[in-house]
Amino acid sequence: MYSSYSDNQLVSLLKSDDCAAFNAIYDRYSKLLYLFIHSKLDAAEISKDVLQELFISLWEKRHSLVLKESLKAYLYQVARHKIIDIYRKNATYRKYLQQLIEHFDAQPHSITETVDNKARTQELFEAINHLPERMKEIFMLSRFENLTVEQISTHLGLSQQTVKNQITKALKILRANYARTDLIIILLFTYFITA
């Protein structure tokens, strides 16, 4: 119905809570945006999540939406910001890995001598990295940022029960699928709780 409308007309209707206008914008730009996001992240599931977050954000900000350029430019700008956020999170992830390796190097007496600490640490972080994106984010905020369930809940706009469930599921996945990292998990939690 709205496929022949201009972007400005669609944005105007969107600001009036018109779902059909939102759907028309989605139909017009979702495939192009997905290809753009995927070309930068090279991960299908994460790219889909970013695309979904982008359009959720568009809907949530529809009343205050101010376009300095075109709608297309705005959407690509939001996509770029979300991609940068993911790169930042990955940089944080690498920082924690390095801190943990340095900690083990500084305290070799606290770990079984037969264990290759660096390899095991890398294995643990690879295991964490394979968790679903939202679960990984919650888990890292809990274990590495030392945020409480309440703080994570507020920060991410989720219920406290959802946060608890995600942490519990993450621990179950790590224990079930990556049993070889049990010693590192124990040390990891001890280190970050006492640090």
Side-chain angles (χ1 to χ4, degrees):
M1 170 178 160
Y2 289 154
S3 58
S4 62
Y5 281 45
S6 71
D7 284 356
N8 288 340
Q9 289 171 311
L10 290 174
V11 169
S12 180
L13 291 166
L14 178 67
K15 289 182 177 184
S16 312
D17 301 333
D18 190 317
C19 290
F22 175 81
N23 290 336
I25 293 169
Y26 183 87
D27 290 343
R28 187 172 292 177
Y29 289 110
S30 62
K31 288 179 185 170
L32 293 171
L33 286 165
Y34 174 79
L35 292 173
F36 171 72
I37 294 164
H38 191 269
S39 73
K40 304 297 181 193
L41 298 177
D42 197 31
E45 286 304 312
I46 296 173
S47 299
K48 287 176 189 172
D49 290 345
V50 170
L51 183 70
Q52 182 179 4
E53 288 174 19
L54 186 154
F55 278 99
I56 289 170
S57 173
L58 177 66
W59 179 256
E60 289 174 345
K61 295 178 179 178
R62 66 191 181 280
H63 296 126
S64 59
L65 190 62
V66 177
L67 299 180
K68 295 176 182 174
E69 298 178 44
S70 66
L71 173 62
K72 181 178 180 180
Y74 170 81
L75 293 171
Y76 275 87
Q77 177 92 9
V78 173
R80 276 190 289 276
H81 285 292
K82 291 190 177 298
I83 290 165
I84 290 168
D85 286 345
I86 288 173
Y87 285 145
R88 281 190 189 129
K89 284 179 190 173
N90 285 339
T92 301
Y93 164 84
R94 285 191 297 274
K95 179 189 81 174
Y96 290 132
L97 175 59
Q98 187 58 39
Q99 285 176 350
L100 191 58
I101 289 170
E102 288 169 5
H103 172 73
F104 289 154
D105 282 348
Q107 300 182 16
H109 61 277
S110 66
I111 303 169
T112 307
E113 291 178 5
T114 58
V115 176
D116 178 358
N117 301 330
K118 290 182 182 178
R120 299 280 307 266
T121 305
Q122 180 71 44
E123 184 181 345
L124 171 66
F125 275 88
E126 286 301 318
I128 293 170
N129 205 35
H130 282 89
L131 293 172
E133 197 60 34
R134 179 61 88 177
M135 186 183 293
K136 178 173 82 171
E137 182 178 15
I138 290 169
F139 187 79
M140 290 182 73
L141 287 171
S142 167
R143 292 307 188 254
F144 302 128
E145 298 288 343
N146 292 321
L147 296 186
T148 65
V149 168
E150 184 179 359
Q151 289 170 324
I152 296 169
S153 170
T154 303
H155 178 69
L156 298 178
L158 300 170
S159 73
Q160 289 186 28
Q161 189 59 49
T162 298
V163 172
K164 288 178 190 173
N165 291 345
Q166 290 291 300
I167 293 170
T168 302
K169 285 179 186 174
L171 289 169
K172 283 182 182 174
I173 290 169
L174 292 171
R175 285 188 194 119
N177 298 326
Y178 304 96
R180 292 172 55 207
T181 63
D182 283 350
L183 176 62
I184 299 294
I185 290 173
I186 291 165
L187 292 169
L188 174 69
F189 296 154
T190 304
Y191 171 62
F192 283 106
I193 288 168
T194 59

